[in-house]
Amino acid sequence: MPELIQDHEWEPGAGPRVLVEAVEWGTREHAAAVLREHGYDTVTCPGPEGAGQRCRLAAGEGCSAAEGVDVVVHALRPWDPRNVEALRALRRRLPDLRVVVEVAAPEAARQKVDLEGCVVLEAPASPAELLEAVSRAIGHEPGDG
């Protein structure tokens, strides 16, 4: 059965809010744990591949989880059109949202237009690289690239 984001209660006074989107459970939970250890409040999402047709972004609707965060960490899988469209829809619906896109270096060059205004994180990223990218995104002005 496809996974969905569970309701998440943001903690008052917690650190910046981060949505970690990756289809692989271990990948997204590890990234969320690293961020939580450094003061970020996190929620995770399997993206359109994991949520299937129940992904609201893939269905052309808004994403309530993304609307309440400071940063989205999106694992870009360019070979899956649902994943690319989810990134595009997220950026269209929430143009001021800061986005970190984790993508393999060769794919980053091919997806240049979709990555404009995002902090690009070369996959696979180390915990230190993830933390640095999220930190940059928080201080990153949308559209600066």
Side-chain angles (χ1 to χ4, degrees):
M1 171 174 259
E3 299 175 59
L4 288 178
I5 296 176
Q6 301 300 315
D7 289 335
H8 183 75
E9 296 278 331
W10 296 109
E11 294 194 29
R17 298 170 177 177
V18 181
L19 169 62
V20 178
E21 179 278 326
V23 71
E24 300 85 12
W25 181 87
T27 299
R28 71 176 177 268
E29 293 305 319
H30 176 70
V34 166
L35 292 166
R36 277 192 302 273
E37 288 173 12
H38 288 85
Y40 294 95
D41 195 1
T42 64
V43 66
T44 62
C45 169
E49 299 92 335
Q53 293 181 343
R54 298 187 312 172
C55 173
R56 294 185 64 210
L57 275 176
E61 301 171 18
C63 175
S64 59
E67 291 166 4
V69 300
D70 300 303
V71 178
V72 170
V73 176
H74 178 80
L76 183 64
R77 293 163 300 282
W79 57 87
D80 188 328
R82 296 173 300 176
N83 181 263
V84 175
E85 184 50 38
L87 174 62
R88 290 175 182 158
L90 184 65
R91 309 250 350 262
R92 268 193 313 271
R93 289 185 165 280
L94 300 166
D96 293 332
L97 181 65
R98 283 137 170 70
V99 180
V100 173
V101 177
E102 184 177 20
V103 63
E107 295 300 331
R110 288 191 275 271
Q111 299 293 131
K112 190 169 178 68
V113 170
D114 293 318
L115 301 178
E116 287 179 12
C118 297
V119 173
V120 177
L121 177 61
E122 188 174 324
S126 70
E129 291 167 330
L130 171 64
L131 289 165
E132 193 273 331
V134 171
S135 178
R136 278 186 32 228
I138 290 171
H140 182 256
E141 289 302 316
D144 280 354

